[in-house]
Amino acid sequence: MDDAMGDGLRQLVQEPSTDEIDAALRSVERRARRRDHAVAAAAIAGVVVVAGGAWVGFAAVDGPDVSTAVGPSASTTTSDAVAGVGSIPTSLPARRSDARQVQDEVNEFWQGLPNPDLVRSTGIRTADDGEEIVVVALRADASQLAEEIHARWGPDVLIELGYHNYPEGTPGDASCPQIETGEAIPGLEARLELDDGGVVASGADIRGRVVLTNTTDREINFAPTSAPVGYVVEPGSDEVLGVTLQAFAAPLVTYSAPPHGSTEMGIFVGTTACQPASATPGLPPGEYEVLVAQNDRGADPSASEVHLVTARAPLTVE
Amino acid sequence: MDVVEFERLFRDEYPRLVRSLTLVCGDREVAADVVQDAFVQAHRHWRRVSAYDDPATWVRRVAVNRAFNHHRGVRRLWRFLDRAGRPDRQGTEPPDVAGEVDLWRAVADLPHQQRHAVALYYLADLPIAAVAAALDIQPGTVKAHLHHARAALADRLGSPTGGSQ
């Protein structure tokens, strides 16, 4: 059957002829060159875009003739745009517009995803040789999405799956934060509760809350200065193993616990492996602990005394 | 860019990929487009692609993924047309050649990973390890796909199974 099936399949589909292969090769080279020219033209077009007198493009000295007027004003020429702008790059980064175009495509793709939380960020990175490339940071459990992005954009896009490079699977620049130390806030007890029974898939995020209970007769205010996150640690240890790659704005909220009352602080926990030698983007399945250590410098950010709110809860990574 | 190296890769890989992805896509022109798209990408990024250990694997993987995406698009179209009561699948069906239709249909009914494995193994004449690299799966998984595919095709076509891969 094996040989018969192979023969049958081979008879079913013939190889392209030499002429077809030659024509296809010429077509590929033509298309690749056409795209290169389109990219160069797009880059040149960026030269003369001046908005409100502010330079927003890049100067180009090479490439196709750009002496014709383009941009917001029909009378604006390259030299007009360059004149009076001051210090302007004199050479165009070879792929800048291309990278931005790719980033636009990736961002559009991102917006259309059913679960956009899987994408942490997109950006453009400049290599030592000046070449620019789009970087997409994905949540550690987004391997399927990484595969799709890699299939669509190939080497146009560097993919970071957690702290790992995709598809190579090599660890990237991972580093785990150190837990701060300090004194507990007198009279304020903290209890950590995690959603979903404290069970999360490897690489995914889980939410929770710290319930702050005031055991005193006076109001206690707590103004955290760090992002509302919890870290995954070895049970009983302060050594951080997992983090979230979610970006947070600087916290500006103050929590007030009334006398003998309580208040809640929402927190975010990630299971992206952050140890440099991590074998996988997400933490290996197992039993861990989440540690929240939020500092409070009160009204004086320069105060030397740091008060902490700490709480722990068990976490199962599946 | 090294034009000679690129052309060598193209002449080595293009025929076998078009042949195998024709089986996957059910359409020779679609397969040729998919493979050419992969080579356009490779051409544009040749400096980086050529630095890979095996640029052919990269091209195969991009082509296979594009073929898979095409297949998913076609399946979505089929489902839509079926729901709309217009099973007009012109251009997405294999050629209706006497004696070949059953085999086409049998292959088309295989799960996509099995179909890719069969196409790359039998039509691209790639060794198991290269099929595994192109599909980004383990060699053992390729063997399992081939085994199940052979069994399914034999069952469908009424032939005894054989082979030991």
Side-chain angles (χ1 to χ4, degrees):
Chain A
M1 170 64 189
D2 202 13
D3 289 343
M5 189 173 87
D7 290 343
L9 292 170
R10 279 185 278 273
Q11 285 173 14
L12 209 56
V13 188
Q14 301 300 313
E15 274 200 357
S17 67
T18 306
D19 286 348
E20 287 174 318
I21 296 169
D22 288 342
L25 177 58
R26 284 195 298 274
S27 171
V28 164
E29 289 173 337
R30 239 187 349 260
R31 286 173 59 196
R33 277 197 298 271
R34 197 162 55 224
R35 176 148 170 78
D36 287 345
H37 289 158
V39 167
I44 297 303
V47 166
V48 292
V49 176
V50 178
W55 175 262
V56 294
F58 287 82
V61 295
D62 296 318
D65 178 14
V66 291
S67 58
T68 51
V70 291
S73 163
S75 62
T76 305
T77 65
T78 302
S79 55
D80 290 336
V82 172
V85 173
S87 176
I88 297 168
T90 54
S91 65
L92 182 71
R95 291 170 42 77
R96 185 169 193 99
S97 291
D98 191 22
R100 289 195 168 171
Q101 182 184 333
V102 171
Q103 188 185 22
D104 288 345
E105 292 171 12
V106 173
N107 286 341
E108 190 176 340
F109 171 76
W110 178 8
Q111 288 162 13
L113 289 175
N115 185 1
D117 286 347
L118 293 176
V119 181
R120 290 304 186 217
S121 64
T122 70
I124 294 178
R125 182 179 297 166
T126 305
D128 292 341
D129 61 0
E131 188 173 15
E132 295 187 311
I133 189 161
V134 175
V135 182
V136 179
L138 302 178
R139 211 168 72 183
D141 60 334
S143 57
Q144 201 171 344
L145 180 59
E147 183 182 344
E148 189 168 350
I149 290 174
H150 187 60
R152 283 186 183 221
W153 286 282
D156 279 349
V157 174
L158 288 180
I159 301 169
E160 293 175 351
L161 189 61
Y163 282 112
H164 279 230
N165 303 306
Y166 183 93
E168 297 84 359
T170 50
D173 298 326
S175 66
C176 294
Q178 299 274 326
I179 300 287
E180 251 185 298
T181 57
E183 297 294 320
I185 299 175
L188 192 63
E189 294 178 352
R191 186 179 76 252
L192 174 59
E193 297 174 349
L194 296 175
D195 290 351
D196 304 322
V199 179
V200 64
S202 173
D205 296 327
I206 184 170
R207 291 174 186 273
R209 70 210 60 78
V210 175
V211 181
L212 301 166
T213 302
N214 181 356
T215 60
T216 72
D217 295 330
R218 56 180 173 77
E219 183 180 72
I220 298 179
N221 293 317
F222 170 57
T225 58
S226 53
V229 298
Y231 299 116
V232 182
V233 298
E234 281 281 354
S237 152
D238 285 359
E239 185 184 8
V240 179
L241 302 175
V243 296
T244 178
L245 297 182
Q246 178 80 42
F248 293 94
L252 295 171
V253 64
T254 296
Y255 298 92
S256 297
H260 302 288
S262 63
T263 186
E264 289 185 2
M265 174 176 61
I267 58 125
F268 210 82
V269 180
T271 58
T272 298
C274 59
Q275 295 279 351
S278 302
T280 53
L283 288 173
E287 300 300 323
Y288 299 87
E289 216 169 49
V290 173
L291 171 58
V292 174
Q294 289 281 325
N295 59 34
D296 172 32
R297 289 185 172 86
D300 180 7
S302 63
S304 57
E305 188 180 11
V306 176
H307 282 120
L308 286 181
V309 165
T310 59
R312 291 175 181 265
L315 176 76
T316 301
V317 175
E318 292 184 334
Chain B
M1 77 176 278
D2 189 335
V3 177
V4 176
E5 274 301 306
F6 180 82
E7 183 170 338
R8 184 179 301 149
L9 176 70
F10 187 90
R11 291 190 183 283
D12 281 350
E13 294 298 322
Y14 180 78
R16 65 168 80 187
L17 278 175
V18 168
R19 198 179 189 196
S20 53
L21 294 185
T22 296
L23 193 69
V24 171
C25 300
D27 186 311
R28 190 183 181 87
E29 283 187 22
V30 170
D33 283 348
V34 161
V35 179
Q36 287 181 31
D37 284 349
F39 273 103
V40 168
Q41 284 253 38
H43 190 289
R44 286 180 49 220
H45 306 289
W46 185 242
R47 191 157 59 100
R48 236 172 295 154
V49 174
S50 62
Y52 291 162
D53 287 343
D54 185 10
T57 295
W58 185 89
V59 172
R60 287 176 203 145
R61 197 174 288 177
V62 172
V64 162
N65 282 331
R66 283 174 179 266
F68 177 50
N69 287 341
H70 167 81
H71 177 71
R72 282 197 299 195
V74 168
R75 286 182 70 88
R76 278 197 296 271
L77 176 64
W78 284 14
R79 283 198 295 270
F80 170 77
L81 292 174
D82 285 345
R83 277 200 304 272
R86 294 190 304 112
D88 175 11
R89 298 172 178 177
Q90 193 174 3
T92 59
E93 286 281 17
D96 189 14
V97 179
E100 295 181 346
V101 174
D102 285 348
L103 185 52
W104 268 112
R105 290 193 189 286
V107 172
D109 284 345
L110 292 174
H112 80 91
Q113 285 274 28
Q114 289 183 24
R115 193 164 61 252
H116 275 290
V118 164
L120 291 171
Y121 182 72
Y122 286 108
L123 294 188
D125 285 326
L126 295 176
I128 296 287
V131 175
L135 297 178
D136 200 15
I137 56 179
Q138 294 297 314
T141 309
V142 173
K143 291 179 184 178
H145 284 325
L146 290 173
H147 173 78
H148 291 304
R150 276 194 294 267
L153 292 176
D155 183 53
R156 179 83 178 262
L157 301 173
S159 304
T161 55
S164 56
Q165 284 292 347

